[in-house]
């Protein structure tokens, strides 16, 4: 260590001034060191506490359990100062040991971890020794459930950080139990809480709930350091600071977390190191009172009143509250009658004191000597001029205001009704003499929605008045009855009878007038419907006439174009043979039927091959442009009787039977047609194929069947003339 030190000769005066300076620096040192030495209390133990912050030196007062080792606050220095105070050899040794931990939980070493290691192993050794006394009692439970949920076993040290292995520990903010669950979190994990039992203090149930919660947090963050921070601060808080800062690791988020969460992970690492190397630091001694698990027996309590202190006496324990350490979730050491089933745990070694007593006798002995305290009934507030609300018991003892009306007859009766087809809310309201709003309110029907047939409705109608019960009269002779009837005269005068008749006549006239108005309204509505129908028919006829006129104009224009082209063709070809060849080619093309466009065809080439013009092809085939597509069918002759076809309405085609009858009537005037036959169009049939099959021309088929084009439909009936 001294090889690298270089000695420098200094003058005598300089040495003296340097000695004075060092003396001045060393003079306040004992005072500062005295501030850091914990003062012993009356019991002779040092007053030390766990640090709450690793920032600058501050005085912190901690609220601790009665089982805690801290009795007074202490001065906590910064982590940097504690790091400088620690010898380098000790720092290196702790760093090597922490780095050799084979675990998935956080075990990073830094100055914060070293400050807590010094606290637990040197400055506050008694705290760690008290934790070591309870280690063998609770760690087997933790290891069992951590292995069950496939979690790292070293997470058992988290309970030491939370509660120092005290099952009844409670923080100032309300966190309770070994794992310090808050109320909402305990509710999410199905830990029951009431005035008699708090399952957050049950070691096994709370440990299993903690394993479920840690597994959930690891599924959210996938980092054990962030999991521990979220366990302390909350998953939502950690996620918010991650979104705000964009950081993804605990040490990157370290400056943005509260002091308690910043110290949480270093404390966990220091606790894990201190307990793993407790023997190396001399923490385990023979004077410690170690606690070990022992075989347990159970007693099921199902609704009976139960006093745990009576059971402690029956088991032979001098301390009446001895069994509470095995049932820490009991908040009052007793259960009332009628409470839900509960299982009481007690050491199996106590069976020697219980002897051969059966379960019922034991439960009878464990009954409370006096009734358990019951909560006081709430008193209603007393306000001047305001009557308080009566209690539930008082209401039960009195008859109430409805008792006076029970003897009265009902004014309404409930009538079920099943909706039939065609019934509406208005018709039902008129039928039962109620309003539509009442029907909707009684049956919770939405406004503006129609009734569905089969829906069950409830209707309240006035109840029929019951006739008074007949009283038994003494028997009267028949002669006396006849005499009494004869003596009774109608008390209605002539004027009153006339007024009644006049009123009845007026009512009849009013009913007749209303019926006449309804009949007139129906007649008027029928007239309006007829007028609308006539207008629609006239409009459709006008549109049809406009379409026919447009078609005639287009056909006249195309005919004029054809005549002009024919004249030009006749003038250009002087030879008569060529003049006759074009009509012949056109006739042959017309006889051949429609032409199907093939690949490479265009309208100009087809017109030149068949001896017609492009304009004629466009007009005859009613094309929108001069472009043709593959598979399109074209005709190369003018359709026969085009004008007659346009004038004939397409919506009323003549059937094949009518065409056959007209052909039969006109058979004598047309030579060569002796009989006709009806053909049903089959798949793949065309007018050209049918004409070739039956030996007739396409023109004859169109004329006989009154067709305007060469298109036929599947299933259509055609009249085929036979020669």
């Amino acid at each position: 260590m001294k090889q690298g030190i270089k000695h420098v000769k200094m003058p005598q005066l300089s040495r003296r001034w340097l000695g004075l300076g060092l003396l001045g620096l060393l003079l306040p040192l004992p005072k500062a060191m005295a501030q850091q030495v914990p003062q012993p209390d009356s019991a002779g133990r040092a007053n030390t506490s766990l640090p709450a912050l690793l920032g600058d030196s501050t005085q912190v007062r901690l609220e601790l359990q009665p089982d805690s080792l801290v009795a007074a606050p202490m001065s906590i220095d910064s982590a940097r100062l504690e790091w400088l105070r620690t010898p380098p050899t000790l720092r290196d040794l702790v760093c090597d040991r922490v780095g050799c931990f084979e675990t998935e939980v956080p075990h990073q070493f830094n100055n914060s971890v070293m400050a807590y290691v010094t606290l637990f192993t040197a400055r506050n050794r008694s705290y760690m020794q008290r934790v070591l006394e309870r280690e063998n009692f609770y760690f087997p439970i933790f290891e069992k459930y951590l292995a069950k949920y496939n979690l790292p076993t070293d997470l058992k040290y988290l309970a030491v950080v939370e509660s120092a292995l005290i099952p009844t520990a409670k923080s100032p903010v309300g966190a309770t139990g070994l794992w310090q669950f808050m109320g909402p979190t305990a509710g999410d994990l199905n830990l029951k809480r009431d005035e008699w039992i708090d399952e957050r203090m049950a070691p096994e149930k709370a440990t299993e709930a903690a394993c479920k919660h840690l597994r959930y947090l690891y599924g959210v963050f996938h980092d054990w350091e962030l999991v521990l921070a979220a366990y302390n601060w909350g998953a939502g808080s950690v996620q918010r600071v991650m979104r705000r800062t964009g950081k993804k690791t605990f040490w990157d988020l370290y400056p943005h977390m509260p002091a308690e969460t910043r110290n949480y992970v270093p404390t966990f690492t220091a606790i894990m190191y201190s307990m793993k190397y407790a023997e190396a630091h001399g923490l385990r001694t023979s004077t410690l009172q170690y606690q070990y698990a022992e075989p347990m027996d159970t007693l099921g309590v199902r609704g009976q009143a139960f006093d745990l202190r009576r059971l402690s006496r029956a088991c032979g324990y001098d301390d009446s509250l001895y069994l509470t350490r095995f049932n820490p979730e009991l908040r009052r050491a007793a259960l009332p009658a009628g409470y839900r089933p509960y299982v009481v745990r007690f050491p199996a070694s106590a069976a020697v004191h219980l002897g051969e007593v059966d379960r019922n006798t034991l439960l009878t002995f464990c009954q409370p000597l006096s009734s358990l305290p019951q909560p006081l009934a709430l008193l209603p507030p007393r306000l001047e001029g305001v009557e308080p609300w009566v209690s539930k018991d008082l209401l039960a003892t009195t008859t109430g205001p409805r008792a006076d009306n029970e003897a009265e007859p009902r004014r309404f009766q409930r009538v079920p009704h099943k909706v039939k087809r065609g019934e509406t809310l208005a018709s039902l309201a008129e039928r039962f003499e109620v309003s539509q709003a009442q029907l909707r309110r009684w049956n919770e029907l939405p406004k503006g929605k129609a009734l569905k047939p089969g829906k069950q409705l409830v209707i309240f109608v006035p109840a029929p008045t019951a006739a008074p019960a007949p009283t038994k009269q003494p028997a009267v002779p028949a002669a006396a009855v006849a005499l009494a009837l004869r003596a009774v005269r109608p008390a209605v005068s002539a004027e009153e009878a006339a007024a009644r008749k006049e009123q009845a006549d007026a009512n009849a006239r009013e009913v007749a007038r209303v019926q006449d108005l309804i009949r007139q309204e129906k007649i008027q509505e029928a007239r309006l419907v007829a007028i609308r129908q006539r207008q629609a028919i006239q409009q459709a006829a006008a549109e049809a006439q406009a379409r026919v006129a447009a078609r005639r104009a287009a056909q006249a224009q195309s005919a004029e174009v054809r005549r002009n082209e024919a004249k030009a063709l006749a003038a250009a070809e002087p030879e008569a043979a060529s003049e006759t060849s074009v009509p012949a080619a056109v006739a042959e093309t017309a006889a051949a039927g429609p032409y199907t466009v093939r690949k490479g065809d265009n309208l100009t080439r087809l017109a030149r091959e068949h001896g017609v013009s492009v304009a004629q092809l466009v007009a005859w085939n009613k094309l929108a442009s001069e472009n043709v597509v593959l598979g399109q069918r074209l005709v190369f002759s003018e359709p026969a009787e085009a004008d007659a076809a346009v004038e004939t309405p397409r919506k009323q085609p003549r059937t094949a039977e009518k065409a056959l009858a007209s052909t039969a009537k006109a058979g004598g005037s047309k030579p060569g047609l002796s009989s006709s036959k009806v053909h049903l169009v089959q798949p793949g049939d065309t007018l050209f194929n049918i004409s070739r099959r039956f030996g007739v021309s396409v023109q004859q088929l169109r004329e006989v069947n009154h067709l305007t084009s060469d298109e036929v439909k599947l299933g259509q009936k055609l009249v085929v003339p036979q020669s």
Side-chain angles (χ1 to χ4, degrees), residues 129-181:
Q129 288 177 341
R130 297 293 295 273
V131 171
L132 292 174
E133 288 179 349
R134 294 183 285 267
E135 173 188 6
N136 297 325
F137 188 83
Y138 292 106
F139 274 14
I141 301 175
F142 301 161
E143 293 171 357
K144 179 180 71 172
Y145 285 102
L146 289 171
K148 176 181 176 181
Y149 288 92
N150 198 21
L151 295 174
T153 309
D154 288 334
L155 286 176
K156 61 187 178 183
Y157 299 107
L158 183 61
V160 181
V161 180
E162 289 287 345
S163 62
L165 300 184
I166 302 173
T168 57
K170 182 178 292 186
S171 70
V173 295
T176 307
L178 287 169
W179 300 90
Q180 292 291 286
F181 284 121

Side-chain angles (χ1 to χ4, degrees), residues 2 92 117 195 251 312 334 339 368 370 413 419 483 521 532-533 560 625 635 679 698:
K2 297 182 180 180
D92 296 340
V117 169
E195 59 179 334
W251 296 107
S312 299
Y339 193 74
S370 60
Q413 66 178 6
V419 179
L483 182 61
E521 289 178 357
R532 293 192 190 98
Q533 290 179 353
E560 183 66 24
S625 63
V635 296
H679 173 70
V698 178

